[in-house]
């Protein structure tokens, strides 16, 4: 071998120099003469890799060291001058016969005309291959574990691309096989989106996950197929960094159905299918809250089947059970859908009759007796069954379920002692029922003592935005729990206060308390508008506007966070004077609303001139929605009028989702009512907001 312009000694010197250089390299290196294709030098790493002494490699043909057809082909081409370099992963066979995985790179080094060398560099990949094999094993084990779990697993990266899902996931979401074979992320995610019952809510929740990478959450996803999936989502981390998100899904449909069945059984009488004592307690609690809100009366009727033991003894318990079922059905048909028939046990039934005074309770009792007169046909016999009924009225006979049941039961036993097959009111109920029965003078004096003694309280009913469901404000409502009289509904004492003029003192107290509460909420950053009802006597009193201004200034409340609610009757008593006062209040910055709109006699001419901000639809027009055609027409008219006058419309007394949906579709902006929450004390109100 020669070098340019030199001798054979110079070529040997160059080879020796190269051999000295490769000894310091970390990879296995040997030098091949391009002319003879013989190894002329090799470093220690090469000898170690092949399991021989490096000096024994010198003089060997390069082809002898080949272990793969690719290497044989390359050196064959190199001998003919057709190959200059190669780099790939291959195998090398050691002297002991063991194959070694390597990355092999061969490059030609030209020393001069007709003189060149091939430098063969080999990197041992044994450790890398062992690591990769171990990793593949762990991945396979993980995949097997994920496939064997009962939960559906979905793994995505931060961009939302799907990294993995198991077969259970595909089964839970009913993903078609064709889609699984495509492995098209967009198509698969679109299929999931179409599968959910509420796509908008589903996508909103996914967006929340994307916005909060650290979020850990548990929620449910309802599918169109009827399945309900529990979804648990956790961030996926690697070396302290968030790299994606892991979702696990579990079908909880059967569990929910079981819970629903358990709940139904816990609140239902097993024999008759009627609500039981627990359900009665909830419904009476609702009626009590409604009565506190607007003074709505109701009756509790305690019915006992006469001589039922005689039926059991003579006809047997099986026939007795069928008689009880028949009685339950007759009682149910005698009452309205809003009323409740419950079975306490044995032959005792309790009926809750909404919006019923003495006359209403008597009508219900007569319908029951008419139904019971029809013959009962059981066991091949036709016979008559009667019942004795005791009646207790709220609020005259009590303010709790225990009191009302006890007194209705006492009245029923009075009927039994008097001969059965009749109804009777509890003695208190015959004398009580409204403010007159308590005595107006006594009630007026009790009110004055209550104000001085701090027995009045304010509760707040949320006013909710139809569009986004957020609470925008609250109506302040007075409550009175007297140490002697008990809970006195506003419908009883407010008329007496207006008649005596004491409504002014009560109204001033309500205004100050409501403004103070609004200021506290404002300081907390809530920004809620608090509405206060204003009576006619209070509104027309001299200095009313100054009183409002002083209340706002005392606590530093921005005036736009106070709303005054006035009835139509207030505005038409002296329309010109009312207009001046309304303008003064409007200039002060407070908001103005017409309460119970539609129940008075508004003049559209004056309504156009008054600086009103909102109209409140009276609950009497909401109660029949959406089924009552008259209520539908009236509500449409009020909403259209509000829209024409650029006034916001709020509906009162919304108790069902059907009412809310109808009002929202009609264009009503806000609502309040038991559907969202009754009037609550300030602490409960804040807790409801937090929830």
């Amino acid at each position: 071998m020669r070098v340019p312009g030199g001798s054979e000694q110079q070529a040997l010197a160059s080879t020796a120099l190269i051999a000295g250089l490769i000894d310091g390299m970390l990879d296995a290196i040997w030098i091949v003469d391009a002319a003879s294709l013989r190894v002329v030098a090799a470093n220690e790493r090469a000898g170690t890799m092949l399991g021989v002494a490096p000096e024994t490699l010198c003089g060997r043909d390069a082809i002898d060291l080949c272990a793969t057809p690719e290497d044989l082909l390359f050196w064959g081409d190199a001998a003919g001058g057709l190959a200059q370099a190669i780099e790939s992963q291959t195998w090398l066979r050691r002297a002991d016969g063991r194959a070694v995985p390597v990355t092999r790179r061969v490059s030609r080094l030209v020393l001069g005309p007709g003189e060149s060398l091939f430098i063969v560099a080999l990197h041992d990949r044994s450790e890398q291959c062992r690591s990769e094999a171990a990793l593949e094993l762990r991945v396979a084990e993980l995949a097997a574990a994920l496939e064997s779990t009962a939960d559906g697993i979905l793994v995505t990266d931060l961009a939302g691309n799907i990294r993995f899902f198991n077969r259970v996931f595909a089964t839970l979401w009913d993903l078609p096989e064709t889609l699984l074979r495509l492995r098209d992320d967009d198509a698969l995610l679109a299929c999931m989106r179409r599968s959910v019952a509420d796509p908008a809510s589903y996508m909103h929740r996914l967006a929340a996950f994307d916005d909060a990478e650290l979020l850990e959450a548990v929620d449910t996803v309802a599918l169109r197929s009827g399945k309900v999936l529990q979804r648990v989502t956790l961030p996926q981390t690697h070396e302290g960094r968030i790299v994606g998100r892991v979702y696990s899904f579990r079908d909880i449909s059967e569990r929910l159905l079981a819970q629903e069945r358990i709940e139904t059984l816990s609140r239902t009488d097993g024999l008759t299918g009627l609500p039981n004592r627990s359900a009665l307690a909830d419904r009476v609690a609702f009626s009590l809250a409604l009565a506190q809100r607007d003074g709505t009366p109701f009756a509790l009727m305690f019915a006992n089947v006469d001589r039922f033991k005689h039926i059991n003894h003579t006809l047997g318990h099986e026939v007795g059970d069928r008689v009880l079922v028949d009685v339950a059905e007759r009682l149910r048909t005698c009452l309205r859908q809003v009323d409740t028939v419950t079975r306490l046990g044995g032959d005792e039934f309790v009926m809750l009759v909404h919006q019923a005074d003495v006359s209403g309770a008597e009508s219900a009792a007569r319908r029951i007796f008419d139904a019971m007169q029809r013959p009962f046909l059981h066991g091949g016999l036709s016979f008559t069954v009667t019942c004795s009924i005791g009646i207790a009225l709220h609020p005259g006979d009590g303010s709790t379920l225990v009191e009302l049941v006890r007194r209705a039961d006492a009245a029923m036993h009075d009927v039994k002692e008097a001969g059965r097959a009749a109804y009777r009111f509890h003695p208190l109920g015959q004398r009580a029922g409204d403010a007159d029965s308590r005595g107006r003078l006594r009630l007026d004096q009790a009110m004055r003592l209550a104000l001085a003694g701090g027995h009045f309280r304010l509760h707040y009913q949320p006013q909710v935005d139809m569009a986004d469901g957020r609470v925008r404000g609250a109506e302040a409502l007075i409550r009175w729990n007297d140490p002697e009289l008990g809970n006195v509904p506003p419908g009883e004492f407010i008329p007496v206060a207006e008649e005596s003029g004491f409504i002014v003192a009560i109204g001033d107290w309500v205004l100050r308390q409501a403004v103070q509460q609004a200021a506290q909420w404002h300081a907390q950053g809530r920004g809620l508008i608090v509405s206060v009802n204003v009576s006619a006597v209070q509104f027309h009193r001299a200095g009313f506007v100054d009183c409002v201004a002083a209340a706002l200034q005392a606590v530093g409340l921005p005036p736009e966070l106070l709303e005054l609610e006035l009835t139509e009757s207030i505005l038409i008593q002296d329309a010109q004077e009312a207009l001046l006062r309304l303008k003064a209040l409007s200039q002060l910055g407070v908001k103005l609303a017409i309460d119970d709109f539609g129940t008075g006699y508004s003049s559209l001419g004056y309504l156009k001139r008054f600086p009103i901000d909102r109209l409140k639809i009276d609950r009497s027009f909401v109660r029949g929605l959406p089924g009552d055609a008259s209520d539908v027409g009236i509500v449409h008219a009020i909403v259209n009028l509000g829209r024409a006058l650029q006034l916001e419309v709020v509906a009162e007394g919304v108790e069902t989702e059907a009412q809310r949906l109808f009002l929202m579709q009609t264009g009503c902006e806000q609502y309040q009512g038991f559907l969202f929450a009754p009037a609550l004390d300030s602490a409960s109100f804040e807790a409801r907001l937090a929830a």
Side-chain angles (χ1 to χ4, degrees):
M1 181 172 60
R2 298 189 301 273
V3 294
S7 63
E8 184 175 348
Q9 287 78 9
Q10 289 176 315
L12 292 173
S14 298
T15 301
L17 176 62
I18 293 173
L21 291 174
I22 65 176
D23 279 337
M25 294 185 178
L26 297 177
D27 287 333
I29 306 290
W30 59 71
I31 308 299
V32 178
D33 179 64
S36 64
L37 297 184
R38 290 180 179 275
V39 177
V40 296
N43 65 359
E44 289 289 339
R45 291 278 183 174
T48 302
M49 182 179 291
L50 291 172
V52 297
E55 57 270 15
T56 63
L57 295 175
C58 296
R60 292 184 62 178
D61 290 334
I63 293 178
D64 292 344
L65 302 176
C66 295
T68 65
E70 182 184 29
D71 288 296
L72 292 172
L73 180 63
F74 170 77
W75 289 115
D77 290 343
L82 301 176
Q84 302 294 322
I86 186 173
E87 181 175 0
S88 63
Q89 293 180 354
T90 186
W91 292 85
L92 194 67
R93 189 167 302 280
R94 289 170 48 89
D96 59 8
R98 183 166 57 89
V100 180
V102 296
T103 299
R104 179 251 300 112
R105 183 173 64 252
V106 181
S107 56
R108 191 183 190 106
L109 175 63
V110 179
L111 301 177
E115 300 292 340
S116 60
L117 301 172
F118 284 105
I119 300 176
V120 181
L122 302 106
H123 177 73
D124 191 344
R125 295 179 51 250
S126 300
E127 187 61 34
Q128 178 184 348
C129 289
R130 282 192 292 271
S131 298
E132 290 176 350
L135 179 60
E136 289 178 1
L137 177 60
R138 287 196 295 270
V139 170
E141 290 173 346
L142 177 60
L146 292 177
E147 286 295 348
S148 64
T149 182
D151 293 340
I153 305 296
L154 172 67
V155 182
T156 65
D157 60 20
L158 292 178
N161 300 312
I162 295 176
R163 309 300 299 169
F164 174 82
F165 61 83
N166 63 0
R167 176 60 61 175
V168 178
F169 167 80
T171 303
L172 288 176
W173 284 85
D174 297 322
L175 300 178
E177 285 293 334
T178 54
L179 186 59
L180 300 181
R181 289 194 294 269
L182 288 175
R183 306 296 289 187
D184 185 333
D185 289 1
D186 291 338
L188 191 148
L189 294 173
C191 182
M192 292 174 64
R193 189 164 52 249
R194 291 191 300 270
S195 299
V196 298
D198 186 356
S201 175
Y202 173 76
M203 296 305 297
H204 177 75
R205 190 64 173 154
L206 288 183
F209 295 153
D210 292 339
D211 293 340
E213 293 180 350
L214 292 174
L215 179 65
E216 299 180 5
V218 179
D219 61 356
T220 56
V221 179
L223 304 186
R224 293 182 184 274
S225 62
K227 291 180 185 175
V228 179
L229 305 180
Q230 182 186 61
R231 173 174 58 186
V232 179
T233 177
L234 299 169
Q236 183 187 20
T237 60
H238 177 68
E239 296 181 350
R241 296 183 303 105
I242 297 176
V243 296
R245 185 163 286 279
V246 179
Y247 300 88
S248 67
F249 298 89
R250 179 174 297 180
D251 190 347
I252 59 171
S253 307
E254 292 186 2
R255 189 178 78 189
L256 293 178
L257 288 174
Q259 290 175 347
E260 184 177 344
R261 286 194 294 269
I262 292 172
E263 177 67 17
T264 300
L265 291 173
S266 69
R267 300 170 60 83
T268 304
D269 175 57
L271 175 64
T272 63
L274 294 175
N276 60 13
R277 185 186 296 270
S278 176
L280 176 66
D282 290 343
R283 299 184 188 186
V284 170
F286 176 83
S287 297
L288 289 170
L290 191 64
Q292 290 177 358
R293 167 66 176 87
D294 53 17
T296 304
F298 65 89
L300 204 70
M301 306 173 66
F302 197 116
N304 180 267
V305 179
D306 295 330
R307 299 184 177 87
F308 182 70
K309 288 184 179 180
H310 178 70
I311 296 175
N312 269 339
H313 290 160
T314 56
L315 301 179
H317 290 279
E318 184 178 349
V319 173
D321 287 346
R322 292 204 295 268
V323 169
L324 290 177
V325 172
D326 199 348
V327 170
E329 183 59 30
R330 297 191 190 196
L331 293 177
R332 186 158 32 202
T333 59
C334 292
L335 301 183
R336 303 163 298 177
Q337 288 187 347
V338 296
D339 301 327
T340 301
V341 182
T342 63
R343 178 175 178 241
L344 295 189
D347 57 352
E348 295 179 339
F349 297 85
V350 172
M351 290 146 284
L352 172 63
V353 186
H354 289 283
Q355 297 178 330
D357 52 11
V358 172
S359 176
E362 285 181 331
S363 297
R366 284 194 293 269
R367 289 196 301 272
I368 291 172
F369 284 117
D370 289 342
M372 296 294 287
Q373 286 179 358
R374 299 196 306 271
F376 285 71
L377 301 173
H378 293 287
L381 298 175
S382 175
F383 53 92
T384 300
V385 176
T386 62
C387 65
S388 301
I389 299 176
I391 304 172
L393 300 175
H394 176 80
D397 292 322
S399 57
T400 67
L401 173 62
V402 173
E403 292 176 347
L404 292 169
V405 169
R406 185 173 67 247
R407 287 171 179 166
D409 185 32
M412 182 271 295
H413 280 92
D414 289 343
V415 174
K416 292 276 190 181
E417 293 175 0
R420 299 182 177 86
Y423 67 87
R424 179 172 294 184
F425 288 88
H426 189 270
L428 289 178
Q430 294 173 320
R431 302 191 300 270
D434 56 18
D436 288 334
S437 65
R438 296 178 183 271
R440 289 181 175 271
L441 290 177
R442 180 187 173 200
L443 195 58
D444 181 70
Q445 180 63 23
M447 280 191 299
R448 298 174 190 273
L449 294 175
L451 185 60
H455 298 306
F456 286 118
R457 295 287 184 271
L458 283 189
H459 284 193
Y460 301 87
Q461 185 166 46
Q463 296 174 333
V464 186
D465 193 299
M466 288 280 191
D468 58 13
R470 296 180 60 186
V471 175
R472 301 296 184 183
E475 181 180 0
L477 299 166
I478 191 169
R479 296 289 181 263
W480 178 17
N481 188 1
D482 191 85
E484 296 183 5
L485 302 179
N487 287 317
V488 186
E492 287 188 19
F493 68 86
I494 291 297
V496 177
E498 288 179 335
E499 181 180 342
S500 66
F502 192 63
I503 192 66
V504 173
I506 293 178
D508 289 344
W509 178 86
V510 170
L511 178 64
R512 291 193 302 271
Q513 294 294 314
V515 168
Q516 184 177 18
Q517 181 62 70
Q520 291 178 9
W521 286 336
H522 176 63
Q524 296 169 4
R526 298 184 187 275
L528 298 172
I529 299 174
V530 175
S531 303
V532 177
N533 292 281
V534 178
S535 70
V537 178
Q538 187 181 11
F539 179 78
H540 289 291
R541 179 172 61 96
F544 174 67
V545 177
D546 294 335
C547 181
V548 174
L552 292 170
Q553 186 176 8
V555 296
L557 178 70
E560 65 269 17
L561 295 181
L562 173 65
E563 182 182 73
L564 301 179
E565 295 186 8
L566 308 104
T567 62
E568 296 170 90
S569 60
I570 294 177
L571 304 179
I572 64 172
Q573 287 180 7
D574 186 345
Q576 193 59 38
E577 176 65 19
L579 178 60
L580 294 176
R581 288 180 183 270
L582 291 175
K583 286 184 176 180
L585 290 168
S586 180
Q587 291 172 358
L588 191 62
V590 301
K591 295 184 177 297
L592 301 169
I594 297 182
D595 194 19
D596 302 333
F597 186 77
T599 60
Y601 304 93
S602 294
S603 165
L604 294 182
Y606 279 120
L607 188 61
K608 181 179 178 181
R609 295 169 58 194
F610 291 152
I612 299 297
D613 300 291
R614 298 206 293 183
L615 299 178
K616 300 193 70 176
I617 303 175
D618 185 67
R619 67 179 58 252
S620 62
F621 303 132
V622 174
R623 187 176 296 119
L625 296 178
D628 189 291
S630 298
D631 288 346
V632 168
I634 292 172
V635 169
H636 270 296
I638 295 175
V639 172
N640 290 333
L641 177 62
R643 186 180 295 116
L645 297 176
Q646 297 182 345
L647 302 178
E648 193 175 29
V649 180
V650 182
E652 295 179 297
V654 178
E655 298 179 1
T656 68
E657 180 65 12
Q659 293 171 346
R660 187 192 71 82
L661 289 174
F662 174 85
L663 290 163
M664 182 174 66
Q665 293 166 359
T666 304
C668 181
E669 287 92 344
Q670 293 185 24
Y671 76 96
Q672 64 186 82
F674 276 61
L675 176 63
F676 185 85
L680 306 167
D681 59 71
S682 58
S684 299
F685 184 93
E686 293 171 3
R688 184 69 175 86
L689 286 183

